[in-house]
Amino acid sequence: MPLHNVPIWLSTANFIATKRGLHMYRFNDRVTLISAGFRIFHILLIIGSGFLLYSALGLDDEGGGGSLNMFLLHREIGLLWGFVIIAYAGYAVLKRRKIRIIEPLDKPVTVQIKEAFSIIGRYFFGRGIPGRVRKNMGRHNILASYAFLLLVAGLILLGVGGLGLIITGADAEGSNMFLIAHILGAGMLALFVLSHLFAVINRENRPLLSAVFTNGKVRREWVEEAMPSFAEEHFRD
């Protein structure tokens, strides 16, 4: 059996199976769902978050040399981390990138609630998502949109509080307000990270987790199943 004919036979078999309504994986049929720029941005955020957490845990109220070094590290990494976020946001605006993660918020509130409870039921209890709900799911689901709002609010509080502490000084009068904002923002980001991790390690979303740390590609069939509305918009063939 000539080996060079194998791809042709497999393609023919797949064509026949597709025509007969059978579900069969199409070889090399992978699509880029996560851009290289976002993957780099994501990894930089993870590294920066790790250093911020490490330096924050090293802070104390004694004012020792070790604590001072940690404070300086925390401040510099925080400023760099903020710059990366602002730079990427600016790049997205200049490129006129669609902010797809907020698109589900355009749905009626009743539809959002139904989708949210359907996804929660799927994640926690393994229930199936109703066909009508799944059909309208796009690149991001409504829970991802809510988590994004939490992220934005947390970043604003964290940034304003952190800059306020740098400008006024941690011991200045009124600095407690900035400290509270900074801590509240950090708490909101921690909640976002936990919810984000829970979502991405869910078996249904593992292709996304793999894509972020590899080439950004997922199987087209997975996209069609997990994001029907998005797939219908982008896959016209």
Side-chain angles (χ1 to χ4, degrees):
M1 180 178 67
L3 292 179
H4 67 274
N5 286 332
V6 170
I8 299 174
W9 292 337
L10 289 174
S11 298
T12 303
N14 180 59
F15 175 79
I16 295 172
T18 303
K19 288 298 182 181
R20 291 181 179 177
L22 301 177
H23 186 70
M24 187 173 181
Y25 177 72
R26 286 170 288 185
F27 290 85
N28 297 322
D29 196 7
R30 300 177 71 83
V31 294
T32 300
L33 199 62
I34 303 174
S35 67
F38 182 80
R39 297 200 306 275
I40 295 171
F41 173 67
H42 195 270
I43 292 171
L44 287 176
L45 282 189
I46 292 174
I47 295 172
S49 300
F51 275 110
L52 283 174
L53 179 61
Y54 168 74
S55 57
L57 293 176
L59 297 175
D60 58 50
D61 297 327
E62 301 300 325
S67 180
L68 177 60
N69 290 335
M70 284 299 182
F71 169 76
L72 293 175
L73 176 64
H74 190 75
R75 185 187 66 183
E76 301 306 321
I77 293 296
L79 290 172
L80 181 60
W81 196 67
F83 172 77
V84 169
I85 293 174
I86 293 172
Y88 183 79
Y91 169 78
V93 170
L94 289 175
K95 287 289 185 178
R96 296 182 179 180
R97 296 279 178 88
K98 257 188 177 182
I99 309 178
R100 289 194 169 275
I101 198 166
I102 64 173
E103 288 180 348
L105 297 173
D106 291 333
K107 299 176 182 178
V109 175
T110 54
V111 175
Q112 293 183 30
I113 294 173
K114 186 176 292 186
E115 182 177 320
F117 277 102
S118 296
I119 296 169
I120 291 171
R122 178 66 175 175
Y123 285 173
F124 285 94
F125 308 109
R127 297 171 184 165
I129 296 178
R132 185 176 298 180
V133 174
R134 184 177 286 277
K135 181 181 179 182
N136 293 320
M137 290 174 64
R139 171 65 180 84
H140 300 278
N141 62 54
I142 191 63
L143 292 185
S145 297
Y146 293 160
F148 177 73
L149 295 180
L150 178 67
L151 171 66
V152 172
L155 286 174
I156 291 173
L157 286 173
L158 190 76
V160 170
L163 282 175
L165 289 171
I166 291 174
I167 294 172
T168 64
D171 299 324
E173 186 177 350
S175 63
N176 281 343
M177 178 181 65
F178 292 118
L179 181 61
I180 291 172
H182 196 63
I183 292 174
L184 182 58
M188 294 172 73
L189 290 185
L191 183 58
F192 165 79
V193 170
L194 289 175
S195 63
H196 188 57
L197 285 175
F198 177 78
V200 298
I201 63 175
N202 186 276
R203 187 170 64 178
E204 272 198 16
N205 296 324
R206 284 177 192 168
L208 282 176
L209 182 63
S210 174
V212 168
F213 295 103
T214 54
N215 57 7
K217 294 185 177 182
V218 296
R219 286 174 53 180
R220 172 170 169 167
E221 289 178 346
W222 179 83
V223 177
E224 291 171 341
E225 181 180 350
M227 312 167 182
S229 179
F230 176 80
E232 185 178 353
E233 178 185 349
H234 286 77
F235 305 150
R236 302 292 184 181
D237 55 329

